[in-house]
Amino acid sequence: MWEIERIYQDQDSIFEGMSRAIRAAKVSVDFETFIFELDSLGNPLLGDLVRAASRGVRVRLLVDGAGSP
């Protein structure tokens, strides 16, 4: 069953939710963000994306060039 909408109340639950969804992906992940940094939040997500791709999941990451280093 697809989850249509979820409201998060804090940063930790947002990133845990994204990580959980990436880890559960079976076909594809389309991830678009304005700010993406290789820090304590970005590195784990990047690792999840890399692991998903290594499982054969099609991964697309779109990062805004003005908002990210």
Side-chain angles (χ1 to χ4, degrees):
M1 169 74 84
W2 289 88
E3 190 172 317
I4 302 300
E5 186 174 309
R6 177 174 284 204
I7 297 173
Y8 293 97
Q9 300 296 324
D10 59 79
Q11 172 180 299
D12 291 338
S13 63
I14 291 169
F15 282 90
E16 177 53 36
M18 287 190 289
S19 181
R20 187 173 41 251
I22 293 167
R23 291 189 313 261
K26 293 181 176 26
V27 176
S28 67
V29 174
D30 296 309
F31 191 93
E32 180 179 357
T33 184
F34 179 69
I35 298 173
F36 192 89
E37 294 190 33
L38 295 176
D39 57 10
S40 63
L41 296 173
N43 278 324
L45 280 177
L46 184 60
D48 289 336
L49 292 169
V50 169
R51 284 186 291 280
S54 71
R55 294 193 314 268
V57 174
R58 183 185 60 119
V59 174
R60 296 191 304 169
L61 173 62
L62 178 63
V63 179
D64 185 287
S68 294

